[in-house]
Amino acid sequence: MSTEQHDPSAGLVGAYVLGVLEPTEVAEVERHLSGCAPCRLEVAELRELEGALGEVPPEFLLDGPPEGGDLLLQRTLRQARRERGSELVRRRAWLGVGAVAAAAAVLAVGLSLGRSTAPAPPPVAVGPAPSATSASPPPAGTRTASVTDPSTGARMTLTLTPAMGWVRVNAAVTGIAAGERCHLVVNGRSGAKADAGSWLVSPAGARTGATLDGSALVDPGDVTSVSVVNEAGKTFVTVPV
């Protein structure tokens, strides 16, 4: 709406909707509205905006109003009251109020959309804390042993797990020099031997040891021991099981 095309009361339409006019000015604006369709339309639109802002639930403004928003609105209204005699100043004051209202509307709508479109957090299952007793027990027949060979200084901690006609071997081996090519050998009752895996001892493995997993096609009931042997046939350590 262009206020230059109307009488001075047109510049008070915004303040009229906000309810900050004196009684004489309210009467002046209402007389103008009775004969001005564009201003009546503007009043209706402003009241609609005012109603929409009033219906925004406070929980949508979780972070509060925009910083300085209340202060800006109060200063604008005080300026409008002090300088109401100037139509140009009235228009500037109403533009300031409109900017604050528009910012509040955008903030409210943005927060509302954010709340409605954000995915709900997944449900959190609450239960007892895990404990050592809740771990699955090892299979029946699992054997564990540890030996340090006094002559070589090599040590092996061994877990032998039975399967259907074969065994799984887990071994932690320390005390063997870097560069040695070693084999895990499963020894049977009849003197049979089965290779469960091999590795090259690295410098890091020589310092901190190595953990190995292997398997051998030996009946669990026939296994008597597991040895670490190099390719030259030297036995570093044997663990009876």
Side-chain angles (χ1 to χ4, degrees):
M1 178 193 71
S2 173
T3 56
E4 284 75 5
Q5 299 175 357
H6 300 83
D7 64 43
S9 300
L12 298 175
V13 168
Y16 171 76
V17 173
L18 289 178
V20 296
L21 296 180
E22 300 295 338
T24 55
E25 292 172 319
V26 170
E28 178 184 345
V29 173
E30 290 180 346
R31 280 195 301 272
H32 171 74
L33 292 175
S34 65
C36 180
C39 285
R40 288 198 301 271
L41 177 60
E42 182 176 355
V43 168
E45 291 173 348
L46 292 175
R47 289 198 188 283
E48 183 178 356
L49 174 60
E50 181 186 33
L53 290 176
E55 293 172 1
V56 175
E59 59 267 22
F60 281 172
L61 300 176
L62 297 178
D63 295 325
E67 184 177 355
D70 287 345
L71 182 60
L72 175 60
L73 180 57
Q74 292 166 8
R75 288 176 178 172
T76 302
L77 293 178
R78 285 199 299 269
Q79 182 179 355
R81 292 190 181 100
R82 286 197 306 267
E83 302 178 359
R84 190 173 289 118
S86 169
E87 179 182 349
L88 180 58
V89 172
R90 289 193 202 104
R91 287 205 302 271
R92 287 204 301 265
W94 170 240
L95 289 175
V97 173
V100 173
V106 170
L107 177 63
V109 172
L111 289 173
S112 175
L113 290 176
R115 289 169 59 92
S116 63
T117 59
V124 177
V126 178
S131 63
T133 58
S134 63
S136 300
T142 298
R143 290 173 276 178
T144 300
S146 182
V147 168
T148 299
D149 190 289
S151 61
T152 65
R155 177 180 179 83
M156 177 165 59
T157 299
L158 176 74
T159 299
L160 190 75
T161 304
M164 295 295 292
W166 57 283
V167 290
R168 297 185 182 93
V169 182
N170 174 268
V173 182
T174 59
I176 300 179
E180 291 283 0
R181 296 179 180 274
C182 298
H183 295 258
L184 272 178
V185 178
V186 178
N187 304 305
R189 294 185 186 280
S190 61
K193 298 179 183 295
D195 199 326
S198 60
W199 77 102
L200 174 66
V201 180
S202 67
R207 293 191 302 271
T208 62
T211 300
L212 311 148
D213 289 293
S215 61
L217 192 59
V218 179
D219 188 276
D222 290 340
V223 177
T224 59
S225 63
V226 177
S227 301
V228 175
V229 183
N230 70 4
E231 291 187 340
K234 176 182 178 179
T235 299
F236 290 98
V237 60
T238 296
V239 177
V241 291

